[in-house]
Amino acid sequence: MSEPTSSLSETLIEPDASGVVTRLAQILERYATDVIEAEDIFKIGLSGGSLVKFLSEGLPLVKTDWSKWRFFFCDERIVSFENTESTFGLYRASLIGKIPITEDQFIKIDPQLTAEDAARDYIKQMTLYFPPDSIPRFDVLLLGMGPDGHTCSLFPNHRLLEETSLWVCPINDSPKPPPSRITLTFPVINNAKACIFAVTGAGKKEMVKRILKDKENLPAARVQPTHGTLYWILDKEAAGGL
């Protein structure tokens, strides 16, 4: 796969949610195949919400060497892994046993730490996979879009939108509970080889329109990979305003 030299964007519209899941699986298989062949380890960032269901349905369709995958988190809530708000906890329950991966392949927060210490610890864990003196370059980041246009734990009008130096930041005043989290920052997000939004349902139609058609300055609209590809995979209902 030849890498683009500047930001490319693809909006892919599928008939229904099942089509979105299938298309997402196809794109992930393509990236994973190329990366594993060239670099050995495929580094992917996960988000929560509907993506948990999409991946539990889609990843079993992917033909790959699963031992080469490493799963990071685009953001995570500072709660125990047993808490239903834990993104890792949701993926552990929905993926392990469905595809041949182990818990060790997930790069997880330490939920016993404060958000500040958890963010520092997560950066330290990331340096095992990314050079510490340059911005991490993920192979794929799977991103969610909230009803307010937030992505990761980067919310409208929040100071973290302007963070330029740290890879991972703490947040203790999330407008959406739970309040304490960690999140990747835009320099890392926009350095990825691919950023993917997979969005379904008429409830997302207005926000998709505001981001893709009206170009409102919302956090999800700031996802513009500098040397990578941005994918929006939508079903017909979510794409209804375009």
Side-chain angles (χ1 to χ4, degrees):
M1 184 188 310
S2 60
E3 275 196 36
T5 55
S6 60
S7 182
L8 295 175
S9 180
E10 290 192 43
T11 301
L12 307 168
I13 299 173
E14 297 292 334
D16 52 25
S18 176
V20 170
V21 168
T22 300
R23 180 65 72 100
L24 176 60
Q26 290 169 347
I27 293 172
L28 290 177
E29 181 174 310
R30 193 172 84 237
Y31 273 88
T33 299
D34 286 2
V35 170
I36 290 168
E37 186 176 310
E39 302 172 25
D40 197 42
I41 298 296
F42 178 62
K43 299 178 284 290
I44 183 170
L46 305 174
S47 298
S50 54
L51 272 166
V52 181
K53 181 175 184 289
F54 294 163
L55 293 178
S56 71
E57 295 173 0
L59 289 186
L61 306 174
V62 173
K63 295 178 176 64
T64 186
D65 180 351
W66 288 109
S67 71
K68 304 291 189 181
W69 287 51
R70 295 296 179 273
F71 300 92
F72 297 77
F73 291 93
C74 299
D75 66 329
E76 179 60 288
R77 294 85 177 268
I78 309 296
V79 295
S80 78
F81 297 151
E82 284 65 44
N83 190 305
T84 55
E85 295 281 5
S86 167
T87 304
F88 166 66
L90 293 172
Y91 279 107
R92 179 173 63 181
S94 65
L95 288 186
I96 293 178
K98 189 166 277 193
I99 55 175
I101 58 172
T102 66
E103 190 169 324
D104 291 343
Q105 289 172 248
F106 290 85
I107 289 73
K108 308 175 284 293
I109 65 161
D110 181 342
Q112 304 299 319
L113 300 176
T114 64
E116 289 77 11
D117 287 342
R120 282 190 285 267
D121 179 67
Y122 209 74
I123 292 170
K124 186 177 176 182
Q125 292 189 65
M126 286 171 65
T127 60
L128 298 174
Y129 296 91
F130 301 100
D133 54 352
S134 59
I135 298 173
R137 184 156 170 77
F138 280 95
D139 299 311
V140 173
L141 293 178
L142 300 176
L143 302 170
M145 179 198 70
D148 59 354
H150 83 264
T151 191
C152 301
S153 285
L154 298 165
F155 294 92
N157 304 312
H158 196 279
R159 59 183 174 74
L160 287 185
L161 298 180
E162 310 310 324
E163 176 62 47
T164 58
S165 58
L166 292 173
W167 297 359
V168 179
C169 277
I171 176 170
N172 285 303
D173 56 353
S174 167
K176 180 182 176 185
S180 292
R181 302 152 174 251
I182 65 163
T183 183
L184 296 181
T185 58
F186 276 120
V188 175
I189 294 167
N190 285 329
N191 201 40
K193 294 176 187 174
C195 292
I196 304 175
F197 289 93
V199 182
T200 61
K204 296 291 182 80
K205 177 176 77 171
E206 180 61 25
M207 187 51 69
V208 167
K209 173 182 175 289
R210 287 171 63 184
I211 291 168
L212 292 184
K213 188 174 181 181
D214 303 337
K215 310 293 186 186
E216 282 192 37
N217 186 25
L218 292 158
R222 294 194 185 195
V223 177
Q224 299 286 341
T226 313
H227 301 287
T229 304
L230 171 64
Y231 297 90
W232 283 82
I233 312 173
L234 309 169
D235 70 356
K236 280 189 174 177
E237 287 190 337
L242 300 181

